[in-house]
Amino acid sequence: MAEAHSYPLLVGFKETDIPSLETKLLQYFRTVGGDCEIEYENGSRTAILHFTREEDQRNVLAKESHQIRLEKGVLKLTAFPLDKDNTKSVKNIKRKHSIKNDEARVHRFSVLKGLRRSFKGKASLKLPAAISEPIDTAVLRYLAQNKSAAEAICSEMDKNFCIVNLGQTTVTLSPVSSLLKQKNAKAIIKEWTDTVKSAFAQSVSQFKSVKFNPDSDAWKESEKNIREMLLNENVIVVPDKDRGALSVAGPVSDVNRLEKSLSEIINKIHEEKKSKTLEIEVSPSVFHLLCQNGLLDNLLLVYPELKLSPESPNLNITGLGEEINAAINVILDIVLALKRQNVELDKNVLELLKDEQQEELTDALLTSHQINAAFEISGNRVQLLAVSHRDLSHAQDHLGQLLTSQYIHVEDGNVLKKPEWQQLVSLLEQANSKPCRTRINTTAQQVVVSGYKDSVIKVQHQLGDFLTQNAHIEETVVVKANAVVEYLKHFNTSWMEKVKDKVRVSYRNEAICLSGSRVNVTHCKTVVEGAVSAVVFDSLSVCMSGVKKLFQENETLYLSAIKTKTGCLVKLVYKPSDGQDNDDITVQNMVAAFRQEFGNHRVIHSQQAPPPKAHKPLVFQATGLDPYLYHVQTNEGLDIVLTKGNIEFSMTEVIVNSVPPDLNLDSGAVSKAILCAAGPKLQQSINAWGATGNVGEIIVTEGCQLYSKKVFHAIAPYWDKDQDTSEECLQGIFMDCLDMAENNNLTSISLPAIGTGNLCFPTAVVASLMLDTILEFSKKRKPKHLKKVVIVLYPGDMQCIQDFTDEFKKFPNASGDSSLTKGGPFSNLTSTSDMHETKMGNVTIQVVTADITKETTDIIVNSSNQSFSLKSGVSKAILDAAGKAVEVECHIFGAKSNPGMIMTQPGNLKCKKILHVVGHPDPVKINKIVKDALQMCVKSSYTSVSFPAIDTGKGNVKARLVADAMLDAVIDVMSQNSSGPLTTIRIVIFQKAMLKDFHGSLEQRAATDPNPKDEGQGTWGGTGIGKFQGIFTDRNTDKPKKEKDFTIEGQKTDATCFHICGNTQADVDLAKKLLFQEPQTTTIEDEAIGKFCDADHQKIDDMEETMGISIKIENSKAKLTIEGLSSDVLKANSEISMMLSRKRDGIPEQWERMPAEATCQAFVVQAKTSEYDEILKLFQASCNGTVTKIERIQNPGLWKSLEIKKRDMELRNGHQNNERRLFHGTCDTAVPNINDRGFNRSHAGKNAAYYGNGTYFAVNASYSAIDKYSTPSQNGEKFMYVCRVLTGDFTLGKQGMIEPPAKGPASTDLYNSVVDNLTNPTMFVVFHDTQAYPEYLITFSI
């Protein structure tokens, strides 16, 4: 038996023929005892049970009788204790006899029988009977719940051979079986009952309970409070609600300690139940007022148990009846004695107060401001209550300063109907609802805002701005002539998209009208004015007879041609003969040019025209197309610029921002715009400064995402209405900003019109203060670093712009020249439709529209990313054109440490090197990129460089900002290296629309000549007017008569005037030139006209569209008529003649012109053309090699031979399906011979000749790409031809064939070629050299 079952019992019974007796015995004793094992032999009347726990053994022995219910009757059992030694003896005997079966068989039963006899001697002693002892119910509950206390009692009783069983109301004390084993068992049994009773009483005396009997109405609250008090005590609460009792039981010491406190709790509850609560009509605010006057303290001195609790709208008083009545009388007397006064405020404020809760108002408007008064609101009356008249007066004054109403005039009542207005009103009321809401009352004529003064002023500005900006207005943009209106209406319509759906546009005589909301009209007017100012307008007056008639007869032709070539509008206008043209100087120059060429023949101009005035340098003047309004330079050299725009986009080194004292950038229009552009880091920088927010303070932060390096945040004052304090403070801010810029070595600063918004300064006052301060600063400080001050005005604030303009006009002329008349760093511009050119010393600067991959300068600059792997936009074009080797080189250099630029080989480009730089969308950084690139070129002695328009594509930077940044970089670097090796700088623009922005930037930096020479000799576009012919020349072919034959004064001819509008001056000049061309008609008669295909007709259509000409084709007569201006007709005639020549010669249309003496020539096919893509697609269909170049092989002799052979094959085969495009691999040494003489079958067998001794061509490029056929050159390049092969009818080839077999046994007609597989051929073999033409040569690598 396992040691775990160490407590044995001997069980005896009479019956043995019971089925499954062993199992029944085991189940029974496990039920009445516990875990046990059994030893039993069939037929035996005894069994031994082994229990795991001694306690289980004792419980079985303590039970007086044992019986097992059977199907019929019961089996009675007797249990005897058995020590371990007896158990071991039985086991040993059994083990010994089981080993020696042959010696003797001793039955275990004999041993057990002997054991039973030994027990019979003791069986006469019986255990005493169990006894029950009464115990306090609460204590019994405590012992049942407190295991440690119960175990202590059980442990003590165990010493007296007693087991304690706790019942519901009593305790049972039972003897243990081990009592019978004691030597003096008989004596112990005799005294056992008295002994255990005494011992139990002693053990239980350590615990007690105390009982309380609270009143029935206090019983529940008493139980709750007692339980809360005893939560952490070693006692329990035993409730008996039926008897109205609460008992507390536990250790005697604990119960004694707690008894008094528990009694006090119950007594207190009894007292509280006897008190009552009454309500009187006294509001919490009035009660608070009374408390401030000492009411509460006085009452509590007399009635300390009294409780006063204000609960709106009444006051609750709790206490004994007499105390409550006395207190009520005192309180009501004091309330009646309070002072009262009607509130005297704006009626709208009073209406606001009536709608509020008086308690909340008192707390928000009075109590929180330490005002000893309260509101009393009843019906339409609002009163103040206070203890004294002084407090009333103080409260009234306080409310007058705290609350206000502001009235806003409604300019356009329709604005009030907009959903946006309703949303704004709702939003503002919700945002300003606490602690006292802001009320917005709207009528047809005005809007009234009432509430807290600070909130009212803020809301008034927001609502006023909305009403002003959304009021319906109409503005007119006056233009020079109706031609400008027509040009913007039909030609340059890009501006329309910007104003679409924002304003209504209408057109009037010499004006464009905009109607809509003020904010949209103001914005769109700026757009339209920009579009108008961008139009280059010119007029041309000619006093020659027949001019008007000639133009009218050919008006459609002229207008179409000029529009196609220049994009310009030409409009014929009528002027009286004595009128002076709008552009007097242009007309006079025109007349002078005609006189120089023709004398006085048919040219008349007004004799009253005033002589040209001498140009005088001015301090400042209106700038017209310049980006600023006025520009002045002080005697000390400080530039002052007045401009309109958004200050957050200013590119000066520092900008000044106006901020409120709370330093919240989101609260002002200017500061909010600057914050949006700079990013949230700007607000964080200000917060980190730890400024106090005092008026006049200036906080300096970094520019974050702005173009400026620094931002000066100034806290400006409110205007004090002609009290000089605020003006002096504002002037001090201006001076401090200028001083700080100078002291920090900053060269430029931008100032907004600080104080003219929410701070209420008149704009005229600010304009005067600002300009006076700038001039004083310039005069006193004579700045060495600060060279430019820009005043930036909001474009929509017309009054502000007008006041600043008026202030500028007050200044007298200065001795120094204005920058408007001062020469810039660039020379005068020379322009064509695709290029603007200027010079800076010996350096030529060109801005062109072209393909940068075709540039031939020493250096081509590529704007890339950090890893120099950018494959989009210009960077993709450069890398694709340069080839794979350059990409690999970029990858290698990009993985290494670099300064932001790397230099690679040119690859397939025509430059010497490619300079790859890391682009950036910040114009300041673009400026540095260009500087670094130019300095590298100068240092490395390169003579020319080509830049793209950096980051105008993917970087999405405005073209004008990029232009300014790049050209400033050119000026900075080349002014220091004027005699260096670098002499040509080109900026190559892909999108022609950007040319205008770069042109404007060039013009701003170009020199101007205030006294142009040869003013009388007018020229347009560098071409003398005398050179023009056509519309402005006499159509008479006779030689001019001598001057004496004419009387000039007697000839009167009305002037014919033309208005011309275009995008650039170059376009307008070209339009003028085209007006001098005479219409011309040319006829071509050629039989080849009938051979024109669809592609030819499309090309002719393109000519008509691009040249502005008319081409009429009469196929039946083989006749073609070209009509247009002479130069266009001549050009079209040349191109069509070439097309006809090719048709006659049968040469492909895509072939380019070859020198007359050349028999063959290879032309590189440009990437991304349809021709290139077609051949590349054929190659890539089966081969994944990298194509570096595709060349078109032009060999007229071979081509004609192929065509002759093709026609012969078509006749012989009776069908036209005779030609295929196939591939032929070769080595680099064979290329010149194949280009010049074609394929030579005599070389058959050089690579393979399994299907005959002819020339082999593969169906798939991958086959010809095998090194065996396209042997790599020394630099790894491979070569493959795409060929036109006349395969015709074919059959299966075999080795040794020198020509194809006959088509039949008796036929002399041969197959045209042979193949490797008739069903699915992969190669073709031809035996005649004229059957294949090497059409394209592909250079590639694997």
Side-chain angles (χ1 to χ4, degrees):
M1 185 64 59
E3 289 299 325
H5 298 81
S6 305
Y7 302 97
L9 281 178
L10 181 65
V11 179
F13 42 86
K14 294 180 179 180
E15 298 181 38
T16 60
D17 56 346
I18 299 172
S20 304
L21 177 60
E22 182 178 357
T23 302
K24 288 181 170 63
L25 289 171
L26 188 61
Q27 289 177 347
Y28 172 79
F29 283 104
R30 283 183 176 177
T31 301
V32 300
D35 183 39
C36 61
E37 297 289 343
I38 189 170
E39 290 186 50
Y40 174 71
E41 291 183 3
N42 290 333
S44 175
R45 294 179 182 274
T46 60
I48 300 177
L49 292 167
H50 298 270
F51 286 91
T52 304
R53 299 192 309 162
E54 184 179 8
E55 183 180 356
D56 298 338
Q57 181 198 48
R58 290 204 306 264
N59 290 338
V60 173
L61 291 173
K63 192 174 176 65
E64 294 182 355
S65 63
H66 299 275
Q67 61 183 19
I68 299 176
R69 290 187 178 276
L70 303 175
E71 291 182 1
K72 295 181 179 179
V74 295
L75 174 65
K76 294 184 178 181
L77 306 173
T78 304
F80 303 96
L82 186 66
D83 59 28
K84 297 180 181 179
D85 294 335
N86 289 333
T87 305
K88 292 178 181 178
S89 299
V90 174
K91 291 181 181 179
N92 292 335
I93 294 171
K94 180 180 178 182
R95 186 181 298 113
K96 178 179 179 181
H97 289 280
S98 66
I99 295 172
K100 300 179 179 180
N101 292 329
D102 54 341
E103 296 179 0
R105 298 182 60 87
V106 180
H107 197 275
R108 181 183 177 194
F109 178 74
S110 63
V111 178
L112 294 176
K113 186 175 181 182
L115 289 173
R116 285 196 294 272
R117 284 198 298 270
S118 67
F119 283 124
K120 286 181 180 179
K122 297 182 181 180
S124 59
L125 291 177
K126 292 185 178 180
L127 291 173
I131 60 174
S132 296
E133 284 293 299
I135 189 171
D136 183 274
T137 306
V139 172
L140 183 60
R141 183 83 63 87
Y142 172 80
L143 293 175
Q145 294 181 16
N146 195 313
K147 186 177 180 181
S148 60
E151 288 179 350
I153 292 175
C154 290
S155 177
E156 189 64 30
M157 297 303 294
D158 190 55
K159 298 175 182 178
N160 296 292
F161 307 100
C162 179
I163 298 174
V164 179
N165 289 321
L166 300 178
Q168 296 293 326
T169 58
T170 61
V171 175
T172 302
L173 304 176
S174 304
V176 297
S177 59
S178 60
L179 173 61
L180 298 174
K181 300 177 184 180
Q182 304 301 316
K183 293 180 180 181
N184 55 345
K186 187 175 181 180
I188 294 173
I189 292 172
K190 183 178 180 181
E191 302 292 333
W192 182 85
T193 301
D194 295 334
T195 302
V196 296
K197 284 184 177 182
S198 175
F200 180 72
Q202 180 65 30
S203 296
V204 173
S205 66
Q206 300 175 36
F207 307 95
K208 68 173 290 188
S209 69
V210 60
K211 183 182 293 185
F212 301 97
N213 296 98
D215 295 342
S216 58
D217 59 344
W219 192 89
K220 186 173 183 181
E221 187 176 354
S222 298
E223 180 190 9
K224 176 184 176 185
N225 291 355
I226 288 175
R227 286 189 182 279
E228 290 176 353
M229 176 185 172
L230 302 179
L231 190 61
N232 296 316
E233 296 289 347
N234 185 22
V235 295
I236 66 169
V237 179
V238 181
D240 189 352
K241 193 171 184 180
D242 294 337
R243 295 181 175 86
L246 283 172
S247 297
V248 176
V252 172
S253 58
D254 291 337
V255 173
N256 291 339
R257 175 174 54 84
L258 297 169
E259 185 174 4
K260 183 179 179 182
S261 298
L262 295 172
S263 297
E264 290 175 353
I265 289 176
I266 294 175
N267 293 335
K268 185 177 180 181
I269 294 173
H270 286 164
E271 291 178 2
E272 289 177 352
K273 293 298 180 180
K274 293 178 182 178
S275 66
K276 61 180 180 179
T277 300
L278 292 180
E279 290 184 353
I280 61 173
E281 190 175 349
V282 175
S283 65
S285 58
V286 173
F287 177 73
H288 176 77
L289 191 63
L290 299 180
C291 291
Q292 293 290 322
N293 202 37
L295 167 68
L296 183 60
D297 295 337
N298 294 334
L299 282 175
L300 292 180
L301 285 175
V302 181
Y303 310 113
E305 300 299 326
L306 201 65
K307 291 184 180 179
L308 303 178
S309 55
E311 295 183 9
S312 182
N314 299 318
L315 174 65
N316 293 337
I317 306 177
T318 302
L320 299 177
E322 294 180 357
E323 294 179 354
I324 292 176
N325 293 331
I328 290 175
N329 291 331
V330 172
I331 293 172
L332 292 179
D333 289 342
I334 298 175
V335 171
L336 291 174
L338 290 175
K339 313 303 180 197
R340 286 170 168 79
Q341 177 182 320
N342 290 331
V343 176
E344 296 177 0
L345 291 173
D346 179 89
K347 63 178 183 178
N348 290 284
V349 175
L350 289 176
E351 291 298 323
L352 169 65
L353 297 179
K354 291 176 186 177
D355 294 338
E356 299 291 337
Q357 296 295 323
Q358 65 181 27
E359 301 305 322
E360 295 179 1
L361 279 180
T362 299
D363 184 60
L365 303 182
L366 299 174
T367 306
S368 62
H369 295 273
Q370 288 77 49
I371 305 297
N372 292 327
F375 281 104
E376 187 173 73
I377 301 174
S378 176
N380 293 323
R381 186 182 65 182
V382 179
Q383 285 189 320
L384 284 173
L385 305 180
V387 174
S388 66
H389 289 291
R390 180 181 178 184
D391 289 339
L392 277 180
S393 178
H394 188 195
Q396 177 66 53
D397 293 342
H398 170 73
L399 293 176
Q401 295 176 3
L402 190 65
L403 304 174
T404 188
S405 290
Q406 293 289 330
Y407 295 79
I408 307 171
H409 173 69
V410 178
E411 179 183 357
D412 180 5
N414 290 324
V415 178
L416 303 179
K417 301 176 184 178
K418 291 188 174 184
E420 295 85 353
W421 167 261
Q422 304 296 336
Q423 292 172 4
L424 177 62
V425 169
S426 176
L427 181 65
L428 291 175
E429 286 183 332
Q430 292 175 11
N432 298 276
S433 60
K434 293 181 179 180
C436 175
R437 70 186 179 92
T438 299
R439 177 175 176 175
I440 302 172
N441 186 29
T442 303
T443 65
Q445 298 299 323
Q446 67 179 7
V447 175
V448 184
V449 185
S450 305
Y452 268 107
K453 182 177 290 184
D454 291 343
S455 298
V456 166
I457 292 174
K458 178 181 177 182
V459 171
Q460 177 206 11
H461 282 299
Q462 290 178 278
L463 295 178
D465 287 345
F466 185 91
L467 291 171
T468 300
Q469 295 298 329
N470 288 277
H472 189 277
I473 64 170
E474 182 174 297
E475 289 279 358
T476 300
V477 180
V478 179
V479 300
K480 295 179 180 179
N482 284 326
V484 177
V485 176
E486 191 172 338
Y487 178 78
L488 292 174
K489 188 176 179 181
H490 300 293
F491 282 64
N492 184 7
T493 59
S494 59
W495 63 275
M496 291 184 178
E497 193 63 32
K498 298 178 182 178
V499 303
K500 183 181 179 182
D501 300 329
K502 295 180 180 178
V503 296
R504 180 177 175 272
V505 182
S506 58
Y507 305 94
R508 298 178 186 172
N509 185 41
E510 296 187 349
I512 300 174
C513 297
L514 307 174
S515 59
S517 64
R518 178 176 276 105
V519 63
N520 286 334
V521 169
T522 302
H523 168 71
C524 294
K525 184 179 181 183
T526 304
V527 173
V528 175
E529 287 175 340
V532 170
S533 64
V535 176
V536 179
F537 172 79
D538 212 339
S539 60
L540 180 65
S541 293
V542 181
C543 300
M544 289 170 35
S545 61
V547 169
K548 180 166 64 176
K549 181 180 179 182
L550 177 62
F551 180 84
Q552 289 173 333
E553 290 176 351
N554 300 277
E555 183 172 4
T556 302
L557 176 61
Y558 276 111
L559 296 182
S560 175
I562 292 173
K563 180 180 180 181
T564 300
K565 289 180 173 298
T566 68
C568 290
L569 166 73
V570 176
K571 189 173 182 64
L572 176 65
V573 293
Y574 304 97
K575 308 198 108 191
S577 58
D578 59 348
Q580 180 74 12
D581 189 80
N582 287 342
D583 194 343
D584 293 333
I585 297 177
T586 302
V587 174
Q588 291 168 14
N589 289 344
M590 183 77 180
V591 171
F594 267 87
R595 284 194 170 187
Q596 183 179 3
E597 184 71 20
F598 301 107
N600 285 331
H601 177 56
R602 293 183 179 272
V603 181
I604 302 173
H605 69 94
S606 173
Q607 299 299 318
Q608 285 74 34
K613 298 179 181 180
H615 293 271
K616 295 182 180 180
L618 304 174
V619 175
F620 54 83
Q621 64 181 44
T623 60
L625 299 179
D626 289 341
Y628 46 78
L629 301 172
Y630 285 95
H631 184 182
V632 61
Q633 188 178 77
T634 68
N635 292 332
E636 294 77 29
L638 179 63
D639 287 326
I640 308 172
V641 175
L642 179 66
T643 184
K644 58 182 179 179
N646 298 320
I647 193 169
E648 64 268 26
F649 300 129
S650 178
M651 294 183 67
T652 54
E653 289 196 293
V654 62
I655 63 175
V656 179
N657 179 26
S658 176
V659 296
D662 63 1
L663 306 181
N664 181 11
L665 295 182
D666 209 25
S667 60
V670 174
S671 61
K672 186 174 182 179
I674 291 175
L675 176 63
C676 290
K681 189 177 179 182
L682 187 67
Q683 181 71 67
Q684 296 169 10
S685 300
I686 291 181
N687 297 342
W689 184 271
T692 58
N694 294 328
V695 173
E697 189 174 3
I698 299 175
I699 303 166
V700 182
T701 68
E702 296 297 320
C704 299
Q705 298 178 26
L706 298 173
Y707 297 129
S708 300
K709 295 179 182 178
K710 303 283 184 183
V711 182
F712 292 170
H713 306 271
I715 304 174
Y718 278 98
W719 187 47
D720 54 12
K721 299 183 180 179
D722 299 327
Q723 299 176 19
D724 295 337
T725 305
S726 61
E727 294 182 13
E728 291 175 0
C729 180
L730 186 61
Q731 195 166 16
I733 289 173
F734 293 150
M735 183 62 76
D736 289 344
C737 289
L738 296 172
D739 283 335
M740 290 168 65
E742 173 66 15
N743 294 337
N744 285 276
N745 299 334
L746 300 172
T747 60
S748 56
I749 185 172
S750 291
L751 292 157
I754 296 176
T756 58
N758 294 338
L759 301 180
C760 303
F761 274 83
T763 52
V765 171
V766 175
S768 178
L769 287 175
M770 189 178 291
L771 287 173
D772 289 347
T773 305
I774 296 171
L775 292 176
E776 181 184 355
F777 165 79
S778 178
K779 185 177 180 180
K780 291 183 178 180
R781 287 294 305 269
K782 296 180 175 56
K784 296 180 181 179
H785 305 288
L786 187 60
K787 296 301 181 184
K788 187 176 185 180
V789 179
V790 182
I791 302 172
V792 184
L793 305 180
Y794 176 58
D797 193 344
M798 303 309 296
Q799 184 61 49
C800 185
I801 294 172
Q802 184 62 50
D803 287 339
F804 270 83
T805 301
D806 293 344
E807 195 64 33
F808 265 79
K809 291 178 180 178
K810 293 178 183 178
F811 282 85
N813 289 348
S815 58
D817 288 343
S818 166
S819 63
L820 294 174
T821 60
K822 187 170 61 176
F826 293 160
S827 66
N828 290 333
L829 290 178
T830 302
S831 299
T832 65
S833 60
D834 295 321
M835 184 180 75
H836 300 297
E837 180 177 304
T838 185
K839 294 183 74 67
M840 183 179 174
N842 68 334
V843 180
T844 300
I845 297 101
Q846 297 174 336
V847 180
V848 299
T849 53
D851 183 352
I852 196 169
T853 62
K854 305 294 177 57
E855 290 293 291
T856 58
T857 51
D858 289 352
I859 298 293
I860 290 178
V861 177
N862 175 30
S863 177
S864 188
N865 54 15
Q866 293 283 350
S867 60
F868 302 103
S869 59
L870 183 63
K871 289 299 289 287
S872 64
V874 175
S875 180
K876 181 179 187 301
I878 290 175
L879 292 180
D880 287 348
K884 192 70 175 179
V886 174
E887 284 191 51
V888 173
E889 202 172 352
C890 285
H891 177 73
I892 294 172
F893 288 137
K896 299 178 180 179
S897 177
N898 60 76
M901 65 170 62
I902 60 172
M903 184 85 78
T904 67
Q905 296 300 318
N908 298 324
L909 301 185
K910 298 178 182 179
C911 59
K912 293 181 179 179
K913 298 282 186 181
I914 304 176
L915 179 62
H916 306 265
V917 300
V918 179
H920 199 283
D922 183 351
V924 176
K925 294 186 178 179
I926 292 174
N927 177 273
K928 184 179 186 304
I929 291 169
V930 177
K931 282 183 182 179
D932 293 344
L934 291 172
Q935 287 168 350
M936 188 283 304
C937 290
V938 171
K939 184 177 180 181
S940 302
S941 300
Y942 290 109
T943 61
S944 55
V945 60
S946 295
F947 288 91
I950 297 175
D951 271 288
T952 53
K954 186 177 181 181
N956 201 27
V957 186
K958 292 182 179 180
R960 181 55 188 263
L961 295 178
V962 174
D964 291 343
M966 294 184 72
L967 293 175
D968 284 344
V970 172
I971 294 170
D972 290 345
V973 175
M974 301 319 297
S975 61
Q976 304 296 323
N977 300 276
S978 57
S979 59
L982 187 60
T983 58
T984 303
I985 300 172
R986 287 168 60 85
I987 300 175
V988 183
I989 301 172
F990 178 70
Q991 298 179 6
K992 190 170 182 178
M994 292 183 189
L995 197 62
K996 175 182 174 182
D997 296 293
F998 277 82
H999 177 263
S1001 187
L1002 282 168
E1003 273 192 332
Q1004 191 175 355
R1005 291 158 178 76
T1008 56
D1009 187 359
N1011 296 293
K1013 298 179 181 180
D1014 302 326
E1015 187 173 344
Q1017 299 180 10
T1019 61
W1020 284 318
T1023 305
I1025 295 178
K1027 306 292 183 182
F1028 299 152
Q1029 298 177 1
I1031 191 169
F1032 296 131
T1033 59
D1034 192 351
R1035 298 179 63 84
N1036 192 343
T1037 57
D1038 295 339
K1039 293 181 180 180
K1041 299 180 181 179
K1042 295 180 180 180
E1043 190 171 339
K1044 64 181 181 180
D1045 295 334
F1046 297 89
T1047 304
I1048 297 174
E1049 284 75 7
Q1051 190 172 4
K1052 299 288 185 179
T1053 305
D1054 288 341
T1056 302
C1057 183
F1058 297 91
H1059 285 175
I1060 308 171
C1061 297
N1063 194 38
T1064 65
Q1065 188 61 50
D1067 292 338
V1068 172
D1069 292 343
L1070 180 58
K1072 291 179 182 179
K1073 183 176 180 181
L1074 293 175
L1075 280 172
F1076 284 90
Q1077 291 189 10
E1078 188 174 1
Q1080 182 177 341
T1081 300
T1082 297
T1083 301
I1084 301 175
E1085 296 185 7
D1086 195 311
E1087 292 297 330
I1089 292 174
K1091 299 180 181 180
F1092 279 162
C1093 61
D1094 291 342
D1096 298 322
H1097 285 290
Q1098 182 60 50
K1099 190 171 183 179
I1100 290 173
D1101 291 342
D1102 294 341
M1103 287 186 202
E1104 288 183 304
E1105 184 176 346
T1106 55
M1107 298 183 186
I1109 58 177
S1110 171
I1111 302 176
K1112 181 181 179 182
I1113 300 176
E1114 300 176 80
N1115 283 326
S1116 59
K1117 299 180 180 180
K1119 181 179 177 182
L1120 183 147
T1121 304
I1122 309 172
E1123 185 179 26
L1125 299 183
S1126 55
S1127 61
D1128 298 322
V1129 170
L1130 181 62
K1131 182 178 179 180
N1133 183 51
S1134 174
E1135 291 191 20
I1136 293 174
S1137 297
M1138 186 180 297
M1139 290 171 60
L1140 292 172
S1141 175
R1142 289 177 176 173
K1143 284 296 177 185
R1144 288 192 296 270
D1145 296 339
I1147 294 174
E1149 285 297 322
Q1150 68 269 28
W1151 278 22
E1152 299 177 43
R1153 185 184 298 273
M1154 295 169 53
E1157 67 278 4
T1159 58
C1160 76
Q1161 187 172 349
F1163 291 87
V1164 176
V1165 181
Q1166 297 302 317
K1168 297 183 180 180
T1169 61
S1170 58
E1171 182 181 9
Y1172 183 95
D1173 292 342
E1174 179 187 6
I1175 303 305
L1176 181 65
K1177 185 177 180 181
L1178 288 174
F1179 176 82
Q1180 292 179 339
S1182 61
C1183 185
N1184 58 2
T1186 301
V1187 175
T1188 56
K1189 184 168 58 175
I1190 298 177
E1191 296 173 278
R1192 183 193 321 108
I1193 309 303
Q1194 296 186 187
N1195 189 321
L1198 290 179
W1199 183 264
K1200 290 178 181 178
S1201 298
L1202 181 77
E1203 289 295 304
I1204 292 171
K1205 184 66 176 176
K1206 183 179 179 181
R1207 287 194 291 271
D1208 176 69
M1209 195 175 291
E1210 288 172 352
L1211 290 173
R1212 291 178 180 274
N1213 293 340
H1215 61 80
Q1216 295 183 341
N1217 186 23
N1218 298 300
E1219 185 179 84
R1220 295 173 186 258
R1221 265 186 169 161
L1222 303 174
F1223 299 94
H1224 182 88
T1226 188
C1227 60
D1228 58 340
T1229 57
V1231 167
N1233 291 331
I1234 294 175
N1235 289 353
D1236 188 48
R1237 295 187 292 276
F1239 298 103
N1240 190 341
R1241 66 185 182 282
S1242 62
H1243 295 157
K1246 181 178 180 181
N1247 288 326
Y1250 297 116
Y1251 303 101
N1253 297 333
T1255 305
Y1256 284 67
F1257 298 92
V1259 173
N1260 296 316
S1262 57
Y1263 188 87
S1264 297
I1266 298 172
D1267 287 350
K1268 179 180 179 181
Y1269 305 118
S1270 53
T1271 306
S1273 65
Q1274 291 183 353
N1275 61 2
E1277 290 183 329
K1278 296 165 70 71
F1279 303 90
M1280 182 189 304
Y1281 283 100
V1282 177
C1283 309
R1284 287 189 180 270
V1285 183
L1286 301 177
T1287 57
D1289 296 336
F1290 53 84
T1291 187
L1292 190 65
K1294 63 182 180 180
Q1295 195 168 11
M1297 278 186 176
I1298 58 173
E1299 64 178 3
K1303 292 183 178 181
S1307 175
T1308 60
D1309 199 8
L1310 306 179
Y1311 283 101
N1312 305 117
S1313 62
V1314 297
V1315 295
D1316 61 335
N1317 187 307
L1318 280 176
T1319 306
N1320 187 22
T1322 62
M1323 65 178 65
F1324 287 82
V1325 185
V1326 298
F1327 299 89
H1328 199 289
D1329 294 343
T1330 60
Q1331 279 185 238
Y1333 179 81
E1335 188 177 17
Y1336 292 96
L1337 176 64
I1338 300 175
T1339 304
F1340 66 103
S1341 60
I1342 299 296

